[in-house]
Amino acid sequence: MPDCEIMVLQGDALINYGSAVTITNTHFITMGKDSDLVPGSLECESSGCSAGQYGECKLVGNCYSCEVDICHWCSPGTYSYAGAVLLLDCQSCEAGRFKNVTDNKPSCSICESGHFSNNAATNKGGTGVASGATHCVMCPAGKYQNNNESYYCEDCPAGFFSSEGSSNCTACYAGTHTSSTGMSECETCERGKVASETIAAVSCNKCRGAFTSWARTTNCSICEEDYFMEDGICYECPENGECPLATGTTDIILGYGYWRVDPYSHQILQCTSNPDACIGGNSTLEGGYCQSNMGGPYCLICEKGYHRDLASCEECGVDGDGSVILQLCILAGLLICLVMMVIFFRKLHTRGHPCIDFVTTQSQMHFLAIAENYELLKAKFKINVVFSQIVSDFPGQFGFEYPEAYTRVAKELSNIFSLSFMSLVPAEVCMGYERHKYMIH
């Protein structure tokens, strides 16, 4: 302590020590008892200013002499502790911290994740200042920062993106990609290309062969135009058919005047006898490939309740089932013939020996003639029965129904045709003593 006049307030009196220099508005810290207050026993290195301020002081020897009640604020980006005596006592904010107001806080605020410290309110580059920051700025899109107290942001890697102020990066969604770092959004893979990965893809790869894809997908799962898909394979569109993009077997569009057996058939047939009945289109149309109320092979069969009238099917009137009476009459006639044959064959039966009492020579010859004619007609009869069975199976194969009247008659005829007529004849029917020669098979 130099030789100076030091005044210390002690109670209501000022104690004066020494020379002619007066140190005012200075905070002294006594080092001993009042009786021991002598030069060198006092410290005077601070002002009366609060934190965030500094005093207007001069150094006198080892003490600062400060103006009474005069304090200055530290500039933005800096702070100070209480009792600061010089501007140099205002310290710059550390990296990742900032201060943009003047207050009595002896520290700077922390920049949280997703932000960085900077000396301006905006910064598109994502790198700020390491000290003295006045602002905390959000990381720009395409960059991120997952730590607090940082003065810079990092680029998102390829395959990832971020929005403004992000603390982490998000993987590109399925069907999108980023091929470079620092991207704010992912690009969509266009049609015909698929992302290299399900997520976080860095490129889009072109589909091969006849395969293609919708935009923003991860696999080549559809066929190009002029192709259709079946069981995961692309085939060329059949002749007389049209195959737009992403056509399946059931989606093939048939031209006007064409028909196919079912939606899964590759063969498209031309309707030559009645082209107007076949309207084409695809299987999603109501009624399929035929005009209204028509169906069956080549659209030539009318639906139930309709009858054929030139190129179309018209609704049946109240007398539409009149033909049933005629068909039932035919059925009755067949039944009568059958009964008469059974009666005739049973009369030929005899239980005596050698059957001469019941069967004359003339009746034997007549019976043999019938048996011979039956053998000739037997093969044709079987062919007709098989044909009727095949025709009766058409509704289940081609998805249509026969008229009810026909169905009823056919059912009755089928019941008759399924019988073995000659099994009604007893096995003991014989002609003379060598009866085994005349057995009817």
Side-chain angles (χ1 to χ4, degrees):
M1 178 74 67
D3 185 19
C4 59
E5 181 181 9
I6 301 176
M7 293 183 295
V8 179
L9 182 62
Q10 194 172 42
D12 294 330
L14 284 175
I15 301 175
N16 194 342
Y17 299 92
S19 70
V21 178
T22 301
I23 300 175
T24 60
N25 194 31
T26 299
H27 291 239
F28 292 94
I29 301 175
T30 59
M31 303 301 292
K33 296 180 180 180
D34 293 343
S35 58
D36 298 329
L37 291 178
V38 295
S41 64
L42 301 175
E43 290 185 0
C44 48
E45 297 179 353
S46 62
S47 68
C49 297
S50 303
Q53 298 177 325
Y54 64 95
E56 190 169 323
C57 306
K58 294 180 180 180
L59 182 62
V60 179
N62 291 333
C63 289
Y64 284 96
S65 177
C66 303
E67 296 292 335
V68 178
D69 296 330
I70 296 179
C71 294
H72 303 283
W73 290 104
C74 292
S75 60
T78 62
Y79 68 97
S80 69
Y81 296 103
V85 295
L86 298 173
L87 176 61
L88 294 177
D89 290 334
C90 293
Q91 303 177 40
S92 296
C93 292
E94 298 84 357
R97 291 174 175 261
F98 73 101
K99 193 167 189 177
N100 55 10
V101 295
T102 54
D103 56 25
N104 298 121
K105 294 181 179 180
S107 62
C108 297
S109 300
I110 295 175
C111 254
E112 297 182 352
S113 61
H115 299 72
F116 66 101
S117 59
N118 190 43
N119 55 6
T122 59
N123 187 321
K124 296 182 179 180
T127 301
V129 293
S131 64
T134 56
H135 294 81
C136 187
V137 185
M138 289 192 298
C139 291
K143 297 178 180 290
Y144 76 102
Q145 179 52 256
N146 55 8
N147 295 318
N148 295 331
E149 298 186 69
S150 179
Y151 68 94
Y152 62 91
C153 299
E154 298 182 6
D155 286 337
C156 288
F160 291 79
F161 74 100
S162 71
S163 56
E164 188 179 33
S166 296
S167 58
N168 52 62
C169 297
T170 304
C172 288
Y173 306 117
T176 64
H177 79 290
T178 58
S179 56
S180 58
T181 61
M183 299 299 293
S184 60
E185 60 182 358
C186 298
E187 299 178 9
T188 298
C189 291
E190 60 187 12
R191 186 175 74 82
K193 294 183 178 181
V194 293
S196 58
E197 304 291 341
T198 304
I199 59 173
V202 298
S203 64
C204 294
N205 302 326
K206 191 177 185 303
C207 296
R208 297 180 179 179
F211 287 94
T212 187
S213 67
W214 299 113
R216 197 170 182 170
T217 55
T218 58
N219 53 72
C220 301
S221 57
I222 59 176
C223 296
E224 289 277 12
E225 295 180 5
D226 299 326
Y227 290 85
F228 71 95
M229 178 172 286
E230 184 175 80
D231 298 330
I233 302 175
C234 291
Y235 298 93
E236 288 189 13
C237 196
E239 188 178 358
N240 302 319
E242 181 181 348
C243 299
L245 178 69
T247 295
T249 307
T250 60
D251 304 319
I252 298 175
I253 301 174
L254 276 60
Y256 191 87
Y258 289 89
W259 173 87
R260 59 176 173 171
V261 175
D262 58 58
Y264 300 96
S265 174
H266 298 181
Q267 188 176 12
I268 299 176
L269 307 173
Q270 185 176 9
C271 301
T272 55
S273 59
N274 187 10
D276 292 335
C278 304
I279 60 175
N282 58 35
S283 60
T284 60
L285 296 175
E286 184 177 356
Y289 311 106
C290 303
Q291 283 189 12
S292 178
N293 306 319
M294 302 187 75
Y298 297 95
C299 304
L300 294 177
I301 299 177
C302 295
E303 293 182 352
K304 180 180 178 180
Y306 292 83
H307 67 92
R308 184 70 177 271
D309 184 11
L310 298 178
S312 62
C313 291
E314 302 295 335
E315 187 174 3
C316 295
V318 293
D319 297 330
D321 292 335
S323 60
V324 176
I325 298 176
L326 177 61
Q327 294 171 348
L328 291 177
C329 291
I330 295 174
L331 177 61
L334 291 174
L335 291 175
I336 293 173
C337 292
L338 177 62
V339 171
M340 293 179 66
M341 290 177 63
V342 171
I343 294 173
F344 174 76
F345 287 138
R346 286 191 177 276
K347 284 187 176 181
L348 296 180
H349 174 65
T350 179
R351 296 180 181 178
H353 177 78
C355 307
I356 300 300
D357 296 334
F358 299 94
V359 182
T360 63
T361 302
Q362 185 177 1
S363 63
Q364 291 178 9
M365 298 302 296
H366 184 63
F367 181 80
L368 289 175
I370 293 175
E372 183 178 357
N373 291 331
Y374 175 76
E375 289 294 334
L376 295 175
L377 296 175
K378 186 176 181 180
K380 294 183 179 180
F381 181 76
K382 288 184 177 180
I383 292 174
N384 289 329
V385 172
V386 173
F387 176 76
S388 65
Q389 291 174 339
I390 294 175
V391 171
S392 65
D393 195 43
F394 278 177
Q397 296 293 330
F398 297 106
F400 69 93
E401 295 183 1
Y402 285 129
E404 184 178 0
Y406 173 81
T407 303
R408 290 165 55 188
V409 173
K411 181 179 179 181
E412 296 300 330
L413 289 175
S414 177
N415 292 335
I416 295 173
F417 293 153
S418 63
L419 297 177
S420 177
F421 298 142
M422 303 311 297
S423 65
L424 300 176
V425 180
E428 290 81 5
V429 172
C430 61
M431 300 298 165
Y433 293 101
E434 297 180 342
R435 59 181 184 180
H436 62 280
K437 294 182 179 180
Y438 308 105
M439 294 295 293
I440 299 176
H441 301 288

